[in-house]
Amino acid sequence: MTETENIACSTYDVVVLGAGPVGENVADRTRAAGLSTAVVESELVGGECSYWACMPSKALLRPVIAQGDARRLPGLSASVQGPLDTAAVLARRDYFTSNWKDDGQIGWLESIGADLHRGHGRLTGERTVTVTGPDGIRKVLTARHAVALCTGTRAVLPDLPGLDEVKPWTSREATSAKAAPGRLVVVGGGVVATEMATAWQALGSQVTLLVRGKGLLNRMEPFAGELVAEALTEAGVNVRTGTSVESVSRDNGTVVVVTGTGDRIEADEILFATGRAPRTDDIGLDTIGREPGTWLEVDDTLRVTGSDWLYAVGDVNHRALLTHQGKYQARIAGAAISARASGAPVQADPWGAHAATADHGAVPQVVFTDPEAAAVGLSLAEAEQAGYRVRAVDYDLASVAGAGLYGDGYRGRARMVVDLEREILLGVTFVGPGVGELIHSATIAVAGQVPISRLWHAVPSYPTISEVWLRLLEAYRDN
């Protein structure tokens, strides 16, 4: 067989590179509009979120948070003082990842009429993707209307002496490990670092958390990181801020970490949670005059700047590295691609179907530690840096009746950042048990630019934690 005979060619309306939640949602929208759609995936259909991020991490954390809630309740606390059943927790995690098999996700793609192409996909010219399958056979997929890059991100490892021999964990190993290491060093102070420190400490590891900066969760209000750090310390985690890692090695199976101050820390495993990079280094960007390995700038329809056919959706455009925001972008991109394919105008409408405006100022996030930290919009510092005339209003969540019902020793805090010119909310942050389910109300207020005068008439149910809204508004009115 000649090389030419070893290449199959197919033409579709849309080619989607990457079959994670973002790529799946783009395909869902374009197929719903009647566009033939190919989806290319080199790993598991369902992507990072389904197998190595959102789902397994939250499956690990849910028993930890439930136990923490129970331990604060008189009448129940005495019954839950023992350790978690680590094997049962890991088995439940495996269930939520479908044991790292994607049959169900493949079935879903088939149900919407999208064609799946297994293998590594690369751009090989305008509107063209070449897929090299596991068997070495190549397929050339040509898109009539659009190619959507939905390839996500990968973990970044620092350039440290000895790192290769250590075989460190990244977020993937941290969420898929088959047993709890006796001693675990976690390097980083962000979401992955704090969540995995929370999980593995509760599952039996002795965790040391090394943070180069002054505190945790530095993209949120400072009190969020402070409350999470306090709780981690009380749970037994050795939290060390202002600590850099200078070198790592593995000696007879033991990881040896040397810090910037010369301290030597020994562990069984080490997790680096030190950032993400776009998975654009080997997808053929050079064939269309763009730089491999870079983030891709897009407009609000998720079309790559300077192109009329290329879209970059989800993490690769660096707008908001969150699954729910990527899926939101995918719905916008799918609608925009479909409209342009039909010749219809792409413009704002009552649903905002063609413009990803939420990425600019109303991005919600929940950190599933104990206590949870949840935020949407701008922090006080971000609002001030952006030039707004603002006021922060704080309230102790423990003073809310509904929070007290969660148990003894409830600790939490709420803040809303008010634009004093328009009297709307620019940002809201909650920290405390149970606040993850509270953040959507704040998202509606921020995204909808609801005037404070109207929020006053959104009456919270009693006794729930949501009564904090009343207390925040009272504090704003009375001071």
Side-chain angles (χ1 to χ4, degrees):
M1 180 178 290
T2 67
E3 183 177 356
T4 302
E5 291 171 330
N6 201 34
I7 300 176
C9 301
S10 300
T11 299
Y12 293 88
D13 292 322
V14 180
V15 176
V16 179
L17 190 53
V22 175
E24 288 177 324
N25 273 269
V26 172
D28 188 33
R29 292 305 166 106
T30 56
R31 283 298 302 131
L35 300 179
S36 60
T37 302
V39 180
V40 181
E41 179 53 59
S42 61
E43 295 186 295
L44 295 176
V45 176
E48 199 80 13
C49 176
S50 298
Y51 305 103
W52 300 286
C54 323
M55 296 310 294
S57 66
K58 276 55 192 181
L60 291 173
L61 286 159
R62 180 59 199 151
V64 181
I65 293 171
Q67 185 184 55
D69 287 341
R71 284 178 171 175
R72 287 184 282 269
L73 280 173
L76 182 59
S77 59
S79 303
V80 291
Q81 291 304 315
L84 290 168
D85 183 339
T86 300
V89 173
L90 295 181
R92 185 171 182 268
R93 182 271 319 269
D94 294 351
Y95 168 79
F96 274 96
T97 62
S98 301
N99 290 291
W100 290 274
K101 296 179 181 178
D102 60 1
D103 297 355
Q105 299 277 16
I106 292 172
W108 179 83
L109 272 183
E110 291 174 346
S111 75
I112 66 169
D115 290 348
L116 174 64
H117 295 268
R118 292 277 198 183
H120 180 65
R122 298 184 82 253
L123 292 163
T124 47
E126 185 172 319
R127 304 174 195 268
T128 305
V129 173
T130 298
V131 184
T132 303
D135 54 5
I137 294 177
R138 287 184 289 163
K139 302 175 184 177
V140 177
L141 310 179
T142 302
R144 295 185 186 92
H145 300 294
V147 174
L149 303 178
C150 309
T151 50
T153 59
R154 57 177 174 80
V156 172
L157 289 172
D159 184 13
L160 281 175
L163 192 64
D164 290 343
E165 65 183 85
V166 169
K167 296 182 179 179
W169 282 9
T170 65
S171 54
R172 284 196 168 194
E173 290 77 19
T175 56
S176 62
K178 300 303 181 184
R183 299 163 299 174
L184 173 65
V185 169
V186 179
V187 182
V191 177
V192 172
T194 53
E195 288 190 347
M196 291 299 95
T198 299
W200 288 111
Q201 180 71 31
L203 291 171
S205 299
Q206 175 54 58
V207 176
T208 300
L209 182 60
L210 304 180
V211 186
R212 184 168 55 183
K214 295 180 180 179
L216 308 181
L217 304 176
N218 60 13
R219 294 187 178 180
M220 288 186 167
E221 298 285 6
F223 64 80
E226 292 166 5
L227 287 169
V228 170
E230 288 176 11
L232 284 171
T233 300
E234 290 176 4
V237 176
N238 180 10
V239 179
R240 301 177 58 172
T241 58
T243 303
S244 61
V245 176
E246 295 301 311
S247 67
V248 292
S249 60
R250 195 178 281 272
D251 184 8
N252 293 322
T254 298
V255 176
V256 179
V257 181
V258 178
T259 70
T261 58
D263 291 343
R264 176 186 168 100
I265 304 170
E266 294 186 351
D268 299 292
E269 300 291 350
I270 184 169
L271 161 63
F272 282 93
T274 49
R276 309 287 298 181
R279 294 183 63 181
T280 60
D281 50 315
D282 190 22
I283 60 170
L285 289 181
D286 53 308
T287 68
I288 58 169
R290 297 180 182 270
E291 185 179 351
T294 57
W295 305 101
L296 294 167
E297 184 179 348
V298 297
D299 62 22
D300 281 347
T301 69
L302 291 310
R303 190 164 59 177
V304 174
T305 303
S307 174
D308 63 356
W309 60 272
L310 186 64
Y311 292 73
V313 194
D315 287 4
V316 291
N317 61 43
H318 206 234
R319 284 187 162 206
L321 276 63
L322 296 161
T323 296
H324 47 275
Q325 291 297 128
K327 292 166 71 173
Y328 162 74
Q329 291 179 12
R331 296 190 291 270
I332 300 295
I337 290 168
S338 301
R340 289 182 172 125
S342 69
V346 174
Q347 58 190 8
D349 60 29
W351 283 86
H354 297 147
T357 56
D359 293 339
H360 298 305
V363 176
Q365 181 175 22
V366 179
V367 185
F368 291 86
T369 45
D370 182 20
E372 293 175 344
V376 62
L378 303 179
S379 67
L380 175 61
E382 289 170 337
E384 290 175 338
Q385 290 167 7
Y388 292 102
R389 189 169 71 87
V390 293
R391 176 182 158 201
V393 180
D394 290 4
Y395 197 79
D396 180 3
L397 266 171
S399 299
V400 176
L405 293 173
Y406 266 67
D408 295 342
Y410 187 104
R411 281 179 291 177
R413 187 172 169 186
R415 167 174 289 179
M416 65 181 191
V417 179
V418 182
D419 178 344
L420 295 174
E421 300 292 341
R422 293 176 291 171
E423 287 209 314
I424 61 172
L425 303 185
L426 296 176
V428 180
T429 300
F430 300 119
V431 182
V435 300
E437 296 296 341
L438 189 59
I439 198 60
H440 191 58
S441 59
T443 303
I444 292 170
V446 174
Q449 298 185 0
V450 182
I452 285 183
S453 60
R454 290 304 305 157
L455 284 177
W456 181 256
H457 298 283
V459 182
S461 298
Y462 181 89
T464 65
I465 300 178
S466 62
E467 194 185 16
V468 70
W469 280 110
L470 173 59
R471 304 307 172 204
L472 286 168
L473 293 169
E474 286 176 334
Y476 176 75
R477 179 198 63 187
D478 298 339
N479 294 286

